[in-house]
Amino acid sequence: MSAPRLSGYALFAALLATAGIPIYIHAPKFYVDEYGVGLTSLGMVLFGLRLFDFVQDPALGWLSQRTAHRRKTMVAGAVSILVISMTGLFAVPPLTAPLLWFGMCLTGLFTAFSFLTISFYAQGVVKAIPLGGHGHVHVAAWRETGALLGICVASVAPTALGFTGAPFAVFAAGFAGLALLAYLTMRSEWERRARSLQPAGLREILSDPVCRRLLLIALVNATPVAVTSTLFLFFVESRLNAPGLEGPLLLLFFLAAAASAPAWGRIAMHIGQKRALLAGMGVSVAAFGFATLLIEGDVTAFAIICLASGAALGADMTLLPAIFATKLARVAPDAAQGFGLWSFVSKFTLAFAALVLLPLLETVGFVVGGENAPRALNMLTLLYALVPCVLKLMAIALLASTPLLED
Protein backbone atom coordinates (compact mmCIF):
# COMPACT_ATOMS: atom_id res chain seq x y z
CA MET A 1 0.00 0.00 0.00
CA SER A 2 1.39 3.40 -0.96
CA ALA A 3 0.59 5.98 1.70
CA PRO A 4 1.41 9.04 -0.45
CA ARG A 5 -0.99 7.93 -3.18
CA LEU A 6 -3.69 7.02 -0.71
CA SER A 7 -3.24 10.42 0.89
CA GLY A 8 -4.48 11.85 -2.41
CA TYR A 9 -7.70 9.92 -1.87
CA ALA A 10 -7.97 11.45 1.60
CA LEU A 11 -7.56 14.99 0.24
CA PHE A 12 -10.10 14.53 -2.55
CA ALA A 13 -12.52 13.00 -0.06
CA ALA A 14 -12.08 16.09 2.13
CA LEU A 15 -13.07 18.25 -0.85
CA LEU A 16 -16.23 16.26 -1.49
CA ALA A 17 -17.10 16.16 2.20
CA THR A 18 -16.86 19.94 2.37
CA ALA A 19 -19.59 20.13 -0.29
CA GLY A 20 -21.74 17.46 1.36
CA ILE A 21 -23.07 17.39 4.93
CA PRO A 22 -21.81 20.91 5.83
CA ILE A 23 -24.00 22.38 3.08
CA TYR A 24 -27.06 20.86 4.75
CA ILE A 25 -25.87 22.23 8.06
CA HIS A 26 -25.03 25.77 6.94
CA ALA A 27 -27.00 26.62 3.80
CA PRO A 28 -30.58 26.47 5.20
CA LYS A 29 -29.70 28.52 8.28
CA PHE A 30 -27.65 30.97 6.16
CA TYR A 31 -30.61 31.65 3.85
CA VAL A 32 -32.99 31.95 6.81
CA ASP A 33 -30.73 34.42 8.62
CA GLU A 34 -29.55 36.45 5.62
CA TYR A 35 -32.57 36.47 3.32
CA GLY A 36 -35.54 35.48 5.51
CA VAL A 37 -36.42 32.35 3.52
CA GLY A 38 -38.92 30.07 5.34
CA LEU A 39 -37.99 26.64 6.66
CA THR A 40 -40.84 24.94 4.84
CA SER A 41 -39.84 26.53 1.53
CA LEU A 42 -36.23 25.46 1.97
CA GLY A 43 -37.31 21.93 2.86
CA MET A 44 -39.46 21.71 -0.25
CA VAL A 45 -36.61 22.90 -2.49
CA LEU A 46 -34.16 20.41 -0.96
CA PHE A 47 -36.60 17.56 -1.41
CA GLY A 48 -37.34 18.59 -4.99
CA LEU A 49 -33.65 18.53 -5.80
CA ARG A 50 -33.36 15.03 -4.38
CA LEU A 51 -36.28 13.86 -6.49
CA PHE A 52 -34.30 15.14 -9.46
CA ASP A 53 -31.42 13.00 -8.20
CA PHE A 54 -33.69 9.96 -8.41
CA VAL A 55 -33.07 10.11 -12.16
CA GLN A 56 -29.79 11.98 -12.11
CA ASP A 57 -27.57 9.83 -9.90
CA PRO A 58 -28.06 6.53 -11.76
CA ALA A 59 -27.68 8.48 -15.03
CA LEU A 60 -24.46 10.05 -13.79
CA GLY A 61 -23.26 6.60 -12.79
CA TRP A 62 -23.87 5.49 -16.37
CA LEU A 63 -22.05 8.58 -17.68
CA SER A 64 -19.09 8.03 -15.38
CA GLN A 65 -18.79 4.42 -16.49
CA ARG A 66 -19.07 5.24 -20.20
CA THR A 67 -16.51 8.07 -19.98
CA ALA A 68 -14.03 6.22 -17.75
CA HIS A 69 -11.38 6.53 -20.47
CA ARG A 70 -11.70 10.35 -20.17
CA ARG A 71 -12.26 10.47 -16.43
CA LYS A 72 -9.45 12.97 -15.80
CA THR A 73 -11.07 15.54 -18.11
CA MET A 74 -14.59 14.86 -16.85
CA VAL A 75 -13.48 15.27 -13.24
CA ALA A 76 -11.80 18.60 -14.08
CA GLY A 77 -15.07 19.89 -15.56
CA ALA A 78 -17.13 18.71 -12.60
CA VAL A 79 -14.72 20.29 -10.09
CA SER A 80 -15.08 23.60 -11.94
CA ILE A 81 -18.88 23.43 -11.71
CA LEU A 82 -18.61 22.58 -8.02
CA VAL A 83 -16.49 25.66 -7.33
CA ILE A 84 -18.74 28.00 -9.35
CA SER A 85 -21.85 26.71 -7.58
CA MET A 86 -20.33 27.03 -4.11
CA THR A 87 -19.26 30.59 -4.90
CA GLY A 88 -22.74 31.48 -6.09
CA LEU A 89 -24.37 29.92 -3.04
CA PHE A 90 -22.34 31.71 -0.37
CA ALA A 91 -20.28 34.52 -1.92
CA VAL A 92 -22.58 36.12 -4.50
CA PRO A 93 -25.74 38.00 -3.42
CA PRO A 94 -28.78 36.39 -5.08
CA LEU A 95 -29.20 37.63 -8.63
CA THR A 96 -32.86 36.63 -8.51
CA ALA A 97 -35.34 35.66 -5.74
CA PRO A 98 -33.28 34.15 -2.86
CA LEU A 99 -35.19 30.86 -2.87
CA LEU A 100 -34.77 30.48 -6.64
CA TRP A 101 -31.08 31.37 -6.41
CA PHE A 102 -30.69 28.83 -3.60
CA GLY A 103 -32.23 26.16 -5.83
CA MET A 104 -30.14 27.07 -8.88
CA CYS A 105 -26.85 27.04 -7.02
CA LEU A 106 -27.62 23.79 -5.26
CA THR A 107 -28.62 22.16 -8.55
CA GLY A 108 -25.16 22.84 -9.98
CA LEU A 109 -23.44 21.91 -6.75
CA PHE A 110 -25.31 18.66 -6.25
CA THR A 111 -24.92 17.57 -9.88
CA ALA A 112 -21.16 18.09 -9.79
CA PHE A 113 -20.97 16.55 -6.31
CA SER A 114 -22.85 13.47 -7.50
CA PHE A 115 -20.68 12.90 -10.53
CA LEU A 116 -17.47 13.39 -8.57
CA THR A 117 -18.59 11.15 -5.69
CA ILE A 118 -19.60 8.35 -8.06
CA SER A 119 -16.37 8.58 -10.06
CA PHE A 120 -14.24 8.86 -6.92
CA TYR A 121 -15.73 5.83 -5.17
CA ALA A 122 -15.55 3.80 -8.38
CA GLN A 123 -11.88 4.77 -8.70
CA GLY A 124 -11.40 3.58 -5.13
CA VAL A 125 -12.53 0.10 -6.14
CA VAL A 126 -10.00 0.11 -8.99
CA LYS A 127 -7.29 1.20 -6.55
CA ALA A 128 -8.22 -1.35 -3.87
CA ILE A 129 -8.21 -4.52 -6.00
CA PRO A 130 -4.38 -4.77 -6.36
CA LEU A 131 -3.89 -4.09 -2.63
CA GLY A 132 -5.10 -7.55 -1.60
CA GLY A 133 -7.66 -8.93 0.83
CA HIS A 134 -8.06 -5.82 2.99
CA GLY A 135 -7.59 -3.38 0.11
CA HIS A 136 -11.10 -1.98 0.30
CA VAL A 137 -10.77 -1.37 4.04
CA HIS A 138 -7.39 0.35 3.55
CA VAL A 139 -8.75 2.66 0.87
CA ALA A 140 -11.92 3.32 2.86
CA ALA A 141 -9.95 4.19 6.01
CA TRP A 142 -7.84 6.79 4.19
CA ARG A 143 -10.79 8.09 2.19
CA GLU A 144 -13.26 8.38 5.05
CA THR A 145 -10.70 9.83 7.45
CA GLY A 146 -10.05 12.55 4.88
CA ALA A 147 -13.78 13.03 4.42
CA LEU A 148 -14.40 13.37 8.13
CA LEU A 149 -11.55 15.85 8.56
CA GLY A 150 -13.02 17.82 5.67
CA ILE A 151 -16.39 17.83 7.39
CA CYS A 152 -14.70 19.00 10.61
CA VAL A 153 -13.07 21.97 8.93
CA ALA A 154 -16.10 22.89 6.82
CA SER A 155 -18.51 22.58 9.73
CA VAL A 156 -16.73 25.16 11.86
CA ALA A 157 -15.07 27.31 9.21
CA PRO A 158 -17.89 29.87 8.83
CA THR A 159 -17.96 30.39 12.60
CA ALA A 160 -14.17 30.56 12.87
CA LEU A 161 -14.06 33.04 9.99
CA GLY A 162 -16.56 35.35 11.64
CA PHE A 163 -13.84 37.94 12.29
CA THR A 164 -13.51 38.54 8.52
CA GLY A 165 -16.95 40.14 8.28
CA ALA A 166 -17.88 37.89 5.37
CA PRO A 167 -17.25 34.35 6.67
CA PHE A 168 -19.20 32.48 4.02
CA ALA A 169 -17.54 34.37 1.17
CA VAL A 170 -14.11 33.54 2.61
CA PHE A 171 -15.26 29.93 3.06
CA ALA A 172 -16.16 29.78 -0.65
CA ALA A 173 -12.74 31.16 -1.62
CA GLY A 174 -10.99 28.59 0.57
CA PHE A 175 -13.09 25.87 -1.02
CA ALA A 176 -11.86 26.92 -4.48
CA GLY A 177 -8.25 26.62 -3.32
CA LEU A 178 -8.88 23.18 -1.83
CA ALA A 179 -10.54 22.06 -5.07
CA LEU A 180 -7.49 22.96 -7.13
CA LEU A 181 -5.10 21.24 -4.74
CA ALA A 182 -7.24 18.09 -4.50
CA TYR A 183 -7.56 17.77 -8.27
CA LEU A 184 -3.83 18.18 -8.83
CA THR A 185 -3.00 15.61 -6.12
CA MET A 186 -5.30 13.01 -7.69
CA ARG A 187 -4.60 13.77 -11.35
CA SER A 188 -2.54 10.61 -12.02
CA GLU A 189 -5.07 8.34 -10.30
CA TRP A 190 -7.88 9.11 -12.73
CA GLU A 191 -5.95 7.35 -15.50
CA ARG A 192 -6.17 3.96 -13.75
CA ARG A 193 -8.73 1.69 -15.36
CA ALA A 194 -10.67 -1.33 -14.14
CA ARG A 195 -9.64 -4.62 -15.77
CA SER A 196 -13.19 -5.77 -16.42
CA LEU A 197 -14.19 -7.64 -19.55
CA GLN A 198 -17.69 -6.22 -19.74
CA PRO A 199 -19.02 -3.20 -17.83
CA ALA A 200 -21.85 -4.20 -15.54
CA GLY A 201 -25.04 -2.17 -15.54
CA LEU A 202 -27.79 -1.52 -13.05
CA ARG A 203 -29.54 -4.78 -13.93
CA GLU A 204 -26.55 -6.89 -12.89
CA ILE A 205 -26.10 -4.91 -9.68
CA LEU A 206 -29.76 -4.90 -8.66
CA SER A 207 -30.22 -8.56 -9.54
CA ASP A 208 -27.71 -9.47 -6.84
CA PRO A 209 -29.64 -9.97 -3.57
CA VAL A 210 -26.76 -8.91 -1.33
CA CYS A 211 -26.23 -5.68 -3.31
CA ARG A 212 -29.93 -4.91 -2.97
CA ARG A 213 -29.86 -5.57 0.75
CA LEU A 214 -26.75 -3.41 1.25
CA LEU A 215 -28.42 -0.51 -0.59
CA LEU A 216 -31.44 -0.86 1.68
CA ILE A 217 -29.18 -0.90 4.75
CA ALA A 218 -27.42 2.20 3.45
CA LEU A 219 -30.77 3.96 3.09
CA VAL A 220 -31.97 3.12 6.60
CA ASN A 221 -28.56 3.64 8.21
CA ALA A 222 -27.90 7.02 6.58
CA THR A 223 -31.23 8.50 7.64
CA PRO A 224 -30.24 8.99 11.31
CA VAL A 225 -27.16 10.96 10.18
CA ALA A 226 -29.39 13.03 7.91
CA VAL A 227 -31.80 13.73 10.76
CA THR A 228 -29.10 14.78 13.22
CA SER A 229 -27.22 16.83 10.60
CA THR A 230 -30.37 18.75 9.73
CA LEU A 231 -31.31 19.47 13.35
CA PHE A 232 -27.93 19.74 15.10
CA LEU A 233 -27.66 23.56 15.10
CA PHE A 234 -31.27 23.97 16.17
CA PHE A 235 -30.89 21.40 18.98
CA VAL A 236 -27.82 23.09 20.48
CA GLU A 237 -29.21 26.61 20.14
CA SER A 238 -32.77 25.96 21.34
CA ARG A 239 -32.98 22.67 23.29
CA LEU A 240 -29.70 23.08 25.17
CA ASN A 241 -29.95 26.88 25.14
CA ALA A 242 -26.27 27.08 24.25
CA PRO A 243 -26.00 29.56 21.35
CA GLY A 244 -22.41 30.02 20.28
CA LEU A 245 -21.39 26.47 21.17
CA GLU A 246 -22.73 24.92 17.97
CA GLY A 247 -19.35 25.14 16.22
CA PRO A 248 -17.20 23.62 18.98
CA LEU A 249 -19.68 20.79 19.59
CA LEU A 250 -19.98 20.04 15.89
CA LEU A 251 -16.20 19.99 15.61
CA LEU A 252 -16.00 17.61 18.57
CA PHE A 253 -18.50 15.28 16.88
CA PHE A 254 -16.66 15.10 13.57
CA LEU A 255 -13.19 14.98 15.12
CA ALA A 256 -14.30 11.94 17.10
CA ALA A 257 -15.48 10.38 13.84
CA ALA A 258 -12.21 11.19 12.06
CA ALA A 259 -10.09 9.87 14.94
CA SER A 260 -12.08 6.65 15.11
CA ALA A 261 -12.10 5.82 11.39
CA PRO A 262 -8.61 4.24 11.25
CA ALA A 263 -9.34 2.36 14.47
CA TRP A 264 -12.52 0.89 13.01
CA GLY A 265 -10.51 -0.23 10.00
CA ARG A 266 -8.06 -2.07 12.24
CA ILE A 267 -10.88 -3.59 14.29
CA ALA A 268 -12.54 -4.82 11.09
CA MET A 269 -9.34 -6.58 10.05
CA HIS A 270 -9.41 -8.56 13.30
CA ILE A 271 -13.09 -9.36 13.85
CA GLY A 272 -14.56 -8.77 10.38
CA GLN A 273 -16.23 -5.77 8.78
CA LYS A 274 -19.77 -6.85 9.63
CA ARG A 275 -19.14 -7.42 13.34
CA ALA A 276 -17.20 -4.17 13.64
CA LEU A 277 -19.97 -2.21 11.93
CA LEU A 278 -22.64 -3.76 14.16
CA ALA A 279 -20.61 -2.71 17.20
CA GLY A 280 -20.38 0.85 15.93
CA MET A 281 -24.10 0.99 15.24
CA GLY A 282 -24.77 -0.21 18.79
CA VAL A 283 -22.68 2.67 20.17
CA SER A 284 -24.78 5.08 18.10
CA VAL A 285 -28.04 3.74 19.54
CA ALA A 286 -26.75 4.13 23.10
CA ALA A 287 -25.55 7.68 22.46
CA PHE A 288 -28.77 8.99 21.00
CA GLY A 289 -30.80 7.12 23.57
CA PHE A 290 -29.14 9.25 26.25
CA ALA A 291 -29.73 12.38 24.14
CA THR A 292 -33.49 11.98 24.67
CA LEU A 293 -32.93 12.79 28.37
CA LEU A 294 -31.16 16.12 27.84
CA ILE A 295 -32.63 19.42 28.98
CA GLU A 296 -31.51 23.04 28.93
CA GLY A 297 -27.93 23.47 30.08
CA ASP A 298 -26.81 19.84 29.64
CA VAL A 299 -23.85 20.87 27.50
CA THR A 300 -21.27 18.60 29.13
CA ALA A 301 -23.49 15.55 28.77
CA PHE A 302 -24.12 16.46 25.14
CA ALA A 303 -20.38 16.81 24.53
CA ILE A 304 -19.93 13.22 25.74
CA ILE A 305 -22.75 12.15 23.43
CA CYS A 306 -21.00 13.96 20.56
CA LEU A 307 -17.83 11.96 21.25
CA ALA A 308 -19.68 8.63 21.33
CA SER A 309 -21.95 9.28 18.35
CA GLY A 310 -19.01 10.70 16.39
CA ALA A 311 -17.00 7.56 17.01
CA ALA A 312 -19.98 5.52 15.81
CA LEU A 313 -20.19 7.64 12.66
CA GLY A 314 -16.56 6.71 11.94
CA ALA A 315 -17.65 3.07 11.71
CA ASP A 316 -20.58 3.90 9.43
CA MET A 317 -18.52 5.96 7.02
CA THR A 318 -15.57 3.57 6.87
CA LEU A 319 -17.02 0.08 6.98
CA LEU A 320 -20.34 0.16 5.15
CA PRO A 321 -18.86 1.63 1.92
CA ALA A 322 -16.00 -0.88 2.20
CA ILE A 323 -18.47 -3.76 2.49
CA PHE A 324 -20.40 -2.47 -0.53
CA ALA A 325 -17.19 -1.93 -2.53
CA THR A 326 -16.01 -5.45 -1.74
CA LYS A 327 -19.25 -6.84 -3.14
CA LEU A 328 -19.20 -4.55 -6.17
CA ALA A 329 -15.66 -5.63 -7.01
CA ARG A 330 -17.10 -9.07 -7.73
CA VAL A 331 -20.37 -8.02 -9.37
CA ALA A 332 -19.30 -4.86 -11.25
CA PRO A 333 -15.54 -4.15 -11.25
CA ASP A 334 -15.99 -0.68 -12.81
CA ALA A 335 -18.46 0.10 -9.99
CA ALA A 336 -19.59 3.52 -11.26
CA GLN A 337 -23.25 2.63 -11.70
CA GLY A 338 -23.31 0.89 -8.32
CA PHE A 339 -22.02 4.01 -6.62
CA GLY A 340 -24.54 6.03 -8.61
CA LEU A 341 -27.21 4.17 -6.63
CA TRP A 342 -25.18 4.57 -3.43
CA SER A 343 -24.92 8.32 -3.96
CA PHE A 344 -28.65 8.64 -4.52
CA VAL A 345 -29.43 6.72 -1.36
CA SER A 346 -27.15 8.91 0.76
CA LYS A 347 -28.46 12.22 -0.54
CA PHE A 348 -32.09 11.17 -0.56
CA THR A 349 -31.98 10.71 3.19
CA LEU A 350 -30.74 14.28 3.69
CA ALA A 351 -33.48 15.69 1.50
CA PHE A 352 -36.14 13.52 3.10
CA ALA A 353 -35.05 14.76 6.51
CA ALA A 354 -35.29 18.38 5.36
CA LEU A 355 -38.73 17.86 3.80
CA VAL A 356 -40.24 16.12 6.84
CA LEU A 357 -38.43 17.63 9.82
CA LEU A 358 -38.30 21.35 9.06
CA PRO A 359 -42.01 21.72 8.20
CA LEU A 360 -42.92 19.52 11.19
CA LEU A 361 -41.00 21.81 13.53
CA GLU A 362 -42.68 24.84 11.98
CA THR A 363 -46.10 23.20 12.45
CA VAL A 364 -45.62 22.90 16.23
CA GLY A 365 -44.54 26.53 16.46
CA PHE A 366 -40.77 26.15 16.58
CA VAL A 367 -39.01 29.51 16.14
CA VAL A 368 -35.39 29.60 14.99
CA GLY A 369 -33.33 31.62 17.48
CA GLY A 370 -36.37 32.66 19.51
CA GLU A 371 -38.40 31.61 22.53
CA ASN A 372 -40.00 28.19 22.14
CA ALA A 373 -42.81 26.52 24.02
CA PRO A 374 -42.16 23.15 25.75
CA ARG A 375 -44.20 21.43 23.04
CA ALA A 376 -41.87 22.68 20.31
CA LEU A 377 -38.74 21.77 22.29
CA ASN A 378 -40.08 18.28 23.05
CA MET A 379 -40.75 17.75 19.35
CA LEU A 380 -37.19 18.86 18.58
CA THR A 381 -35.82 16.30 21.06
CA LEU A 382 -38.07 13.57 19.71
CA LEU A 383 -36.93 14.17 16.16
CA TYR A 384 -33.24 14.70 16.94
CA ALA A 385 -32.71 11.78 19.35
CA LEU A 386 -35.50 9.20 19.37
CA VAL A 387 -36.12 8.92 15.63
CA PRO A 388 -32.42 8.15 14.90
CA CYS A 389 -32.47 5.43 17.60
CA VAL A 390 -35.42 3.65 16.00
CA LEU A 391 -33.93 3.89 12.50
CA LYS A 392 -30.53 2.66 13.67
CA LEU A 393 -32.11 -0.37 15.35
CA MET A 394 -33.83 -1.19 12.05
CA ALA A 395 -30.47 -0.94 10.26
CA ILE A 396 -28.86 -3.25 12.83
CA ALA A 397 -31.57 -5.86 12.28
CA LEU A 398 -31.14 -5.67 8.50
CA LEU A 399 -27.35 -5.97 8.63
CA ALA A 400 -27.39 -8.80 11.17
CA SER A 401 -29.63 -10.84 8.86
CA THR A 402 -27.62 -10.12 5.70
CA PRO A 403 -25.28 -12.95 4.62
CA LEU A 404 -21.82 -11.67 3.66
CA LEU A 405 -18.85 -13.60 2.36
CA GLU A 406 -16.98 -13.22 5.66
CA ASP A 407 -19.85 -15.00 7.47
Side-chain angles (χ1 to χ4, degrees):
M1 177 178 62
S2 172
R5 292 186 179 179
L6 285 179
S7 67
Y9 282 80
L11 186 60
F12 202 87
L15 169 68
L16 293 178
T18 302
I21 289 177
I23 299 308
Y24 283 90
I25 293 171
H26 294 306
K29 198 168 189 302
F30 176 73
Y31 272 75
V32 169
D33 293 342
E34 293 292 318
Y35 306 114
V37 180
L39 289 176
T40 299
S41 299
L42 289 171
M44 291 295 292
V45 169
L46 287 170
F47 187 73
L49 289 172
R50 292 290 70 79
L51 286 181
F52 176 59
D53 276 347
F54 183 80
V55 176
Q56 176 176 257
D57 277 6
L60 290 175
W62 176 88
L63 178 64
S64 177
Q65 183 170 294
R66 290 301 184 273
T67 60
H69 60 290
R70 292 185 292 175
R71 185 161 281 169
K72 188 175 180 179
T73 302
M74 296 293 288
V75 166
V79 168
S80 300
I81 295 172
L82 195 70
V83 170
I84 292 169
S85 301
M86 185 72 79
T87 302
L89 184 66
F90 287 128
V92 178
L95 302 180
T96 181
L99 186 63
L100 178 59
W101 184 252
F102 178 82
M104 290 169 58
C105 291
L106 283 186
T107 299
L109 192 148
F110 287 159
T111 299
F113 174 86
S114 291
F115 182 81
L116 290 170
T117 300
I118 292 163
S119 300
F120 179 57
Y121 274 74
Q123 200 66 35
V125 174
V126 176
K127 179 72 173 179
I129 291 174
L131 298 180
H134 294 297
H136 296 287
V137 176
H138 284 311
V139 172
W142 278 86
R143 182 182 60 215
E144 305 310 331
T145 300
L148 288 161
L149 289 174
I151 291 173
C152 290
V153 174
S155 296
V156 302
T159 301
L161 294 170
F163 69 94
T164 64
F168 284 95
V170 177
F171 171 76
F175 179 83
L178 175 62
L180 177 61
L181 180 61
Y183 174 76
L184 292 176
T185 304
M186 275 285 292
R187 64 187 182 278
S188 63
E189 290 296 312
W190 302 118
E191 297 170 356
R192 295 176 179 269
R193 298 285 304 280
R195 297 179 179 178
S196 56
L197 298 176
Q198 189 72 25
L202 293 179
R203 179 178 298 178
E204 289 83 0
I205 295 167
L206 291 176
S207 65
D208 185 274
V210 176
C211 281
R212 291 199 307 270
R213 177 62 75 93
L214 289 173
L215 286 169
L216 176 60
I217 293 169
L219 176 65
V220 177
N221 193 57
T223 305
V225 179
V227 170
T228 55
S229 297
T230 302
L231 298 179
F232 187 95
L233 298 182
F234 303 124
F235 188 84
V236 175
E237 181 181 63
S238 299
R239 173 69 275 183
L240 301 181
N241 193 24
L245 292 180
E246 299 95 335
L249 288 169
L250 198 59
L251 179 61
L252 183 66
F253 172 72
F254 285 120
L255 279 177
S260 72
W264 285 116
R266 290 192 292 271
I267 291 170
M269 292 175 197
H270 286 90
I271 68 173
Q273 297 175 48
K274 180 176 176 179
R275 291 185 183 88
L277 180 55
L278 286 170
M281 294 163 79
V283 172
S284 182
V285 171
F288 283 103
F290 281 111
T292 62
L293 306 176
L294 299 183
I295 59 174
E296 180 178 329
D298 286 342
V299 176
T300 301
F302 187 67
I304 296 171
I305 288 171
C306 286
L307 285 171
S309 58
L313 178 65
D316 283 347
M317 293 189 67
T318 301
L319 301 179
L320 192 52
I323 291 171
F324 188 62
T326 301
K327 184 61 182 177
L328 275 184
R330 300 184 182 94
V331 176
D334 187 270
Q337 293 208 55
F339 280 109
L341 294 172
W342 191 267
S343 177
F344 162 71
V345 164
S346 299
K347 289 188 301 178
F348 178 82
T349 60
L350 286 162
F352 180 77
L355 176 72
V356 174
L357 303 178
L358 298 182
L360 191 55
L361 282 177
E362 210 165 51
T363 300
V364 297
F366 180 78
V367 179
V368 178
E371 292 292 329
N372 284 286
R375 177 170 176 254
L377 294 177
N378 289 338
M379 177 60 75
L380 179 60
T381 298
L382 173 72
L383 296 177
Y384 178 81
L386 187 58
V387 169
C389 278
V390 174
L391 291 169
K392 191 64 80 168
L393 286 170
M394 293 171 59
I396 289 174
L398 286 169
L399 179 60
S401 61
T402 300
L404 299 177
L405 186 62
E406 65 182 51
D407 294 336

